[in-house]
Amino acid sequence: MTHSGAYVYDPDRPAGSLHLRAARVLEGNWTGTSTVPSHGLYPHQWSWDSAFIAIGLRHLSPLRAQTELETLLGAQWGDGRIPHIVFNPSVPLDAYFPSPDFWRSSTAGRAAGAPRTVQTSGIVQPPVHALAAWLVHQADPGLSRSRSFLSRMYPRLAAWHRYLLHRRDLGGGGLASVVHPWEQGMDNSPCWDAPLSRVTPAAPRSFRRADLDHGSAEDRPTDLDYGRYVRLATDYRDGGYADGAGEFAVEDPAFNALLIASEHALAAIAQELGAAGTARHARAERLTAALVERLWDPAEGMFFCRDVYGGDERGGESYGGDARDEGESGALGSERGSPESGALASERRSSESGAHGSERGSRSGALAPEQHSAESSAHASERRSRQSGAHASEQRSRAGALIPERSVAGLLPLILPALPRDIAATLVRTAGGPHFGLGGVARLAPSYDLTGHAFDPHRYWRGPAWFNTNWLLERGLRLHGEHGRAEELRAALLETADTSGFAEYVDPYTGEACGALGFSWTAALTLDLLHEPARADQADRPDRADRADRADRADRADQSTHVVSHPGHRAFDKAQGTPPHTSHASHTPHTPHSSFETGAKGGDRG
């Protein structure tokens, strides 16, 4: 029973139900303060894993879901970055590589404000966190308010977004760049092959791969790729984790789509705390325009990664040879000359008024003095590092080159509410076409082009299907009115989770389990799908409804009785028309800007 008195978890479900088995996976991977992806292969806390895990945990225990995020953000660096691993000191150093003694966060990261009391990595992962925090709040608003959950999370999440949009705008076009393949989350994607070819690999004798103790070498990254990963991470560490000086910088569509989605969620959080979210919604829409301008390829019908340092000296050639010289024109061109380039320029201009002015008020202590100090620390670190970040990017190629590799990342901007309608429709067609086969030859959307030169149905991120990316696609399809396709994907996800033992990833054709079993985000996102209420479109699509019934047959009979759907459980689902939650301190009518307000890993992994 939640703080508000609503049942969200029924312990009387059948012992073998998918719901209870998913709950047991999360219970088994719980450490007391966070959830490991899996005990054997990934024995620490991972950043975007914890965000997805919290989204599922909110259906079992909103308190534990809040704790999951609080533990992660408690390891945030002073410059605002959220590290991709928070290390458990009780785990032996040789159980995972790279281990804490490789990253040396408390010493090498001192200038960037790395915490002294906990060991972390120095790179980041996709920014799903504000979205997760907002959905967790909506699972039990009473508990959240009583614990001041959002008012404690907001300044940390705002600092995280500032870090990405200031320090990581290495291409000067307003989008965030990743500086290591592990940061994007799809660690071994063929999208990284061309940018990585510039990197001299570390000597094999200089490191020992712990991932091969748990998985077949045929399914893992090659030693050559791993050597390049280690070299990039070593150089980043030895440079004090300063951004803009490395050999690898890529603007990824999925990473930036999640940042935009979380910016919409952060606007909703600001409104809950009594501030205006208008500036953040506007920024999210500007970032959406920048995403389309820099990464959309209309001829191919999908988004591609951009190698910021690739192409010729002008940075205007794609790897495929097509001219893509963006120059200084485009959605954010007028803002590119400033260190505070891109969408953040407006935040600086309005920092003393409007949304940010009201955020500094005393609304239930929404931004308490200690929270101000956390934000000011992030600002100070940001100013100290401007020369090595945004200024350094001005001396490198700004336009870069599109990387002609079709990854599932190029479909994930479908989660964005302001995506132009024609682009959304094209993405749906591409997802169902020969390259991804969704709804046809593929059970779940593969991580890489089914017809691509590097496709392998079992090798890490080079073909297998992952639950988190397909969960995002399901939401994107539903958001843009593709309810039938979304229902088919939901049914396939539930059936595959059931038959694979909540596998880390699966063969996209057969659903055969790959990687670790009992994987936390697979179990968590299964719970989220099980807690979705029946869609209206099922009534006139009995064939699809029957498929969903088979997938969660053990759960559907009692779901409507014991599971109460709060606003936010239908994340991204704008079509449901659920009214947004209104702050009890504000009675101003509010028009939703996004679906979030309407209720709308890697074996190496660093």
Side-chain angles (χ1 to χ4, degrees):
M1 184 174 291
T2 70
H3 181 82
S4 303
Y7 284 102
V8 294
Y9 176 63
D10 180 12
D12 295 327
R13 291 181 184 233
S17 73
L18 187 59
H19 184 286
L20 281 180
R21 284 186 286 123
R24 289 191 185 107
V25 168
L26 295 179
E27 183 63 27
N29 290 340
W30 176 247
T31 68
T33 55
S34 65
T35 309
V36 299
S38 71
H39 278 292
L41 191 52
Y42 312 115
H44 302 287
Q45 183 179 25
W46 263 261
S47 173
W48 76 326
D49 291 71
S50 279
F52 288 120
I53 289 165
I55 289 170
L57 275 177
R58 67 193 170 116
H59 301 296
L60 302 180
S61 169
L63 176 60
R64 205 167 104 186
Q66 291 178 29
T67 302
E68 184 81 36
L69 295 174
E70 290 164 352
T71 301
L72 178 67
L73 268 68
Q76 186 174 23
W77 289 29
D79 64 2
R81 82 182 74 193
I82 297 175
H84 98 296
I85 302 176
V86 180
F87 290 105
N88 183 343
S90 67
V91 174
L93 289 179
D94 62 357
Y96 189 85
F97 178 84
S99 55
D101 58 344
F102 172 88
W103 295 104
R104 306 171 198 165
S105 61
S106 59
T107 54
R110 185 176 300 159
R116 297 182 179 181
T117 57
V118 61
Q119 293 296 312
T120 75
S121 65
I123 59 176
V124 302
Q125 273 191 326
V128 198
H129 311 89
L131 170 60
W134 178 238
L135 295 179
V136 167
H137 162 79
Q138 288 187 308
D140 192 341
L143 174 67
S144 175
R145 293 180 189 126
S146 71
R147 299 186 68 249
S148 301
F149 172 65
L150 290 183
S151 63
R152 288 184 289 110
M153 292 293 101
Y154 181 84
R156 293 183 176 274
L157 293 168
W160 168 222
H161 285 207
R162 276 198 305 275
Y163 167 79
L164 292 174
L165 291 168
H166 280 299
R167 294 277 304 278
R168 290 300 189 88
D169 182 13
L170 302 179
L175 299 181
S177 293
V178 296
V179 300
H180 195 290
W182 291 337
E183 291 197 314
Q184 192 267 357
M186 303 178 193
D187 307 7
N188 194 38
S189 171
C191 294
W192 318 136
D193 291 353
L196 281 175
S197 67
R198 297 191 296 267
V199 179
T200 302
R205 63 181 179 277
S206 65
F207 60 90
R208 189 191 75 83
R209 295 181 58 176
D211 64 309
L212 296 181
D213 295 341
H214 302 275
S216 168
E218 288 73 25
D219 294 344
R220 310 303 305 166
T222 66
D223 287 342
L224 176 61
D225 284 337
Y226 215 95
R228 286 172 168 148
Y229 303 153
V230 172
R231 171 66 66 191
L232 279 176
T234 301
D235 290 348
Y236 194 40
R237 177 198 67 200
D238 293 348
Y241 296 109
D243 296 308
E247 298 178 81
F248 184 99
V250 174
E251 294 171 354
D252 174 77
F255 191 99
N256 280 280
L258 289 168
L259 175 59
I260 296 166
S262 281
E263 189 70 15
H264 279 301
L266 203 55
I269 293 172
Q271 288 175 295
E272 163 67 22
L273 296 175
T278 307
R280 290 197 178 277
H281 283 307
R283 178 181 306 131
E285 291 175 2
R286 287 195 299 275
L287 287 168
T288 301
L291 184 73
V292 170
E293 177 174 340
R294 288 185 67 79
L295 305 185
W296 174 248
D297 188 326
E300 298 295 338
M302 65 180 299
F303 291 87
F304 287 94
C305 293
R306 181 175 290 277
D307 181 359
V308 172
Y309 302 152
D312 63 10
E313 290 183 357
R314 292 176 299 121
E317 300 296 326
S318 73
Y319 285 105
D322 296 331
R324 301 188 185 278
D325 195 345
E326 313 261 359
E328 289 301 306
S329 63
L332 302 181
S334 62
E335 297 175 303
R336 288 177 187 165
S338 165
E340 294 182 303
S341 61
L344 263 287
S346 64
E347 181 176 40
R348 175 186 55 78
R349 290 193 295 269
S350 64
S351 61
E352 295 302 325
S353 62
H356 288 272
S358 60
E359 286 166 13
R360 294 190 173 106
S362 59
R363 150 91 165 88
S364 302
L367 296 181
E370 63 271 17
Q371 294 160 343
H372 282 306
S373 66
E375 288 204 275
S376 62
S377 173
H379 276 301
S381 177
E382 185 177 291
R383 287 193 298 272
R384 287 193 299 269
S385 60
R386 282 272 168 77
Q387 290 292 340
S388 63
H391 286 177
S393 72
E394 294 175 1
Q395 300 172 14
R396 310 293 283 270
S397 165
R398 291 196 175 201
L402 290 184
I403 302 170
E405 297 286 1
R406 295 179 181 88
S407 161
V408 71
L411 303 178
L412 294 188
L414 200 60
I415 67 174
L416 300 178
L419 196 67
R421 184 176 301 178
D422 60 327
I423 291 180
T426 301
L427 284 177
V428 172
R429 288 194 297 272
T430 300
H435 299 294
F436 294 94
L438 189 60
V441 297
R443 178 176 296 195
L444 299 177
S447 51
Y448 176 69
D449 183 1
L450 294 171
T451 69
H453 67 97
F455 175 77
D456 184 327
H458 290 171
R459 191 179 285 276
Y460 207 65
W461 289 110
R462 300 178 86 86
W466 294 71
F467 286 84
N468 63 332
T469 54
N470 277 271
W471 179 86
L472 289 166
L473 279 177
E474 194 266 356
R475 267 53 187 170
L477 289 168
R478 201 173 299 283
L479 170 64
H480 291 283
E482 297 287 342
H483 296 288
R485 288 185 173 91
E487 190 57 40
E488 287 184 342
L489 181 53
R490 173 181 178 267
L493 278 163
L494 291 175
E495 183 178 4
T496 305
D498 188 5
T499 58
S500 72
F502 305 102
E504 180 182 2
Y505 53 97
V506 298
D507 183 306
Y509 291 118
T510 67
E512 176 190 349
C514 303
L517 300 182
F519 200 70
S520 288
W521 78 23
T522 303
L525 298 178
T526 296
L527 285 170
D528 193 62
L529 292 169
L530 287 172
H531 281 73
E532 289 182 354
R535 257 74 53 177
D537 67 312
Q538 285 186 358
D540 59 351
R541 297 180 183 272
D543 55 330
R544 287 167 179 147
D546 288 344
R547 289 181 61 186
D549 287 346
R550 289 196 301 272
D552 58 351
R553 56 191 176 275
D555 298 83
R556 289 178 73 246
D558 60 354
Q559 185 168 328
S560 60
T561 303
H562 295 288
V563 179
V564 178
S565 296
H566 299 286
H569 285 195
R570 294 187 294 276
F572 309 97
D573 194 354
K574 204 171 188 178
Q576 294 297 322
T578 307
H581 175 73
T582 304
S583 168
H584 56 75
S586 174
H587 302 287
T588 304
H590 167 61
T591 301
H593 284 72
S594 76
S595 55
F596 306 113
E597 296 174 82
T598 65
K601 254 285 133 327
D604 40 293
R605 294 193 147 212

